[in-house]
């Protein structure tokens, strides 16, 4: 099934529990606005390059829309639609005053020079500047983009609207970004794990972990779980995977990746195929790369008893059914990886206030938000006797539905 179909299926499971009328379901599923733009620019060799960019603004009933921009060859309107909807539900789960949006350009950023990436980003911003803004729709980094990308967007936007750092989050600290933002998504995954394990009378250090993806989210998760005493027994990136049943030396692995740009070849590890990472013997699997990696065909191979979703929609509904039958607990993406958007909210608040928070405050507030969200999830799960994903969607859909009704729409 497509990402949009999978997201709608999760939504409808929650809507069924809430007895939501069909007219409200259609309204909540339909995006507020879909944008498709042509982005043409001169390559370094003088040739003309043209890429297609998208921005889907899903819902604004609870506040300005919020969501990342990704640069990846597989970006298409269906994926962006699904991710925008997930942002609506994610911000509602952690009770931020936002709605959801998402954007992207179908390109391979590894094939573009820094100058070409800057020209592409500025062209994309020119096409979108009338429909984004700090009280309208606030982009952030995602796969294939980073703080530098956000700096270019902010600068280009400012040419049309004046100095306005709050138009994006995930910016460099020197341009109004927040301390702690780089680590926020990975740290949020750690806090989600702490909440889950506390319910079991356990600690992070009681488990072994395999992490798929070693970009921003995966690398920070590895570092933070290692610091908390967790044993990381396998990691993988686009180049392949590595494993060590005694635990990988994460600090030295970080140095290795900084030098080689890959986890492959790390001393003291055994090579594994990247896809085999999902089936490693471990207690906890953290998919932190692309979506749709766990499905009905491969879910039965997963040996982990807990899945913490660091990536967006890594698990489809068929895989969820397999995990439920096998007694695997899944901590869903719209809670587990909400640390990024939460600290993005803190960054936006700092921009509005024109006052910077210390990193200790950022991290403490993130922990507070994640703990409160988990407590809310637990109440919903007990009320309806459902799994964590259904509880998360039910909590989110109820909040967005209530806001929509209160606005009189």
């Amino acid at each position: 099934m497509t990402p949009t179909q999978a997201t709608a299926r999760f939504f409808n499971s929650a809507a069924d529990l809430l007895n939501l009328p069909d007219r409200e379901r259609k309204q909540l599923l339909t995006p507020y606005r879909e944008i498709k733009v042509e982005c043409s620019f001169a390559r370094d060799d003088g040739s003309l390059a043209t890429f297609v960019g998208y921005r889907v603004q899903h819902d604004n009933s609870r506040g300005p829309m919020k969501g990342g921009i990704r640069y990846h060859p597989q970006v298409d309107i269906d994926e962006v639609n699904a991710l925008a909807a997930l942002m609506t539900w994610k911000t509602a789960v952690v009770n931020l005053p936002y709605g959801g949006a998402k954007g992207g350009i179908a390109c391979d950023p590894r094939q573009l020079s820094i100058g070409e990436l800057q020209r592409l980003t500025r062209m994309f911003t020119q096409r979108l500047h009338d429909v984004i803004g700090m009280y309208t729709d606030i982009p952030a980094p995602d796969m294939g983009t980073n703080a530098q990308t956000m700096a270019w967007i902010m600068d280009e936007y400012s040419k049309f609207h004046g100095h306005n750092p709050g138009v994006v989050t995930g910016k460099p600290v020197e341009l109004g970004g927040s301390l702690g933002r780089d680590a926020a998504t990975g740290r949020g995954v750690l806090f989600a794990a702490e909440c889950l394990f506390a319910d079991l009378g356990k600690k992070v250090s009681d488990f072994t972990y395999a992490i798929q993806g070693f970009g921003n989210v995966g690398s920070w998760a590895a570092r933070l779980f290692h610091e908390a005493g967790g044993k990381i027994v396998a990691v993988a990136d686009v180049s392949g995977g590595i494993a060590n049943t005694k635990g990988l030396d994460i600090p030295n692995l970080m140095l290795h990746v900084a030098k080689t740009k890959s986890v492959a070849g790390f001393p003291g590890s055994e090579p594994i195929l990247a896809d085999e990472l999902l089936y490693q013997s471990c207690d906890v699997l953290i998919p932190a790369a692309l979506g749709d990696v766990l499905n009905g065909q491969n879910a039965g191979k997963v040996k982990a008893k807990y899945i913490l979703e660091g990536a967006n929609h890594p698990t489809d509904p068929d895989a969820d059914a397999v995990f439920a039958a096998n007694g695997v607990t899944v901590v869903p993406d719209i809670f587990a990886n909400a640390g990024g958007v939460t600290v993005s909210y803190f960054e936006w608040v700092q921009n509005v206030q024109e006052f910077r928070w210390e990193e200790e405050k950022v991290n403490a507030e993130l922990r507070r938000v994640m703990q409160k969200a988990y407590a809310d999830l637990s109440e919903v799960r007990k009320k309806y006797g459902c799994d964590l994903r259904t509880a998360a969607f039910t909590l989110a859909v109820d909040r967005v539905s209530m806001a929509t009704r209160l606005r009189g729409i």
Side-chain angles (χ1 to χ4, degrees), residues 90 212 217 286-291 308-314 332-334 337:
K90 185 184 301 182
Q212 184 200 39
V217 180
I286 304 178
L290 289 170
L308 302 172
E309 294 186 337
N312 291 314
H313 68 83
D333 52 352
I334 59 173
N337 70 28

Side-chain angles (χ1 to χ4, degrees), residues 260-392:
T260 67
K261 310 302 180 187
S262 169
V263 300
F266 179 59
S269 69
E270 296 294 327
I272 60 172
L273 296 174
D275 291 345
E276 291 299 313
L277 183 284
L278 299 171
Y279 320 128
Q280 291 296 300
S281 294
C282 63
D283 300 315
V284 184
L285 172 64
I286 304 178
L290 289 170
D292 298 315
V293 296
L294 295 168
N295 51 57
Q297 285 69 50
N298 68 6
K301 300 178 184 178
V302 173
K303 298 181 177 68
K305 288 302 179 184
Y306 304 94
I307 297 175
L308 302 172
E309 294 186 337
N312 291 314
H313 68 83
T315 309
D316 76 8
D318 293 335
D320 255 3
V322 173
F323 292 142
N326 292 344
V328 178
T329 299
V330 180
V331 183
D333 52 352
I334 59 173
F335 168 64
N337 70 28
V341 70
T342 300
V343 176
S344 276
Y345 168 64
F346 298 159
E347 179 178 333
W348 180 81
V349 167
Q350 292 169 74
N351 293 156
V352 171
Q353 295 176 333
E354 298 185 356
F355 183 83
R356 175 164 291 163
W357 297 3
E358 295 298 327
E359 187 168 357
E360 291 78 6
K361 178 176 181 178
V362 172
N363 294 339
E365 287 295 308
L366 173 57
R367 185 189 293 272
R368 180 189 62 79
V369 168
M370 295 296 290
Q371 289 176 341
K372 178 62 169 66
Y374 186 79
D376 293 343
L377 280 180
S378 297
E379 284 188 18
V380 174
R381 181 173 60 169
K382 291 174 185 176
K383 178 179 179 180
Y384 292 102
C386 59
D387 58 84
L388 278 172
R389 190 187 309 279
T390 304

Side-chain angles (χ1 to χ4, degrees), residues 45-66:
D45 62 6
S47 63
L48 183 68
T50 299
F51 295 95
V52 176
Y54 306 93
R55 187 71 178 173
V56 173
Q57 298 169 330
H58 181 259
D59 188 273
N60 63 356
S61 62
R62 302 182 72 251
M65 293 166 284
K66 187 84 184 73

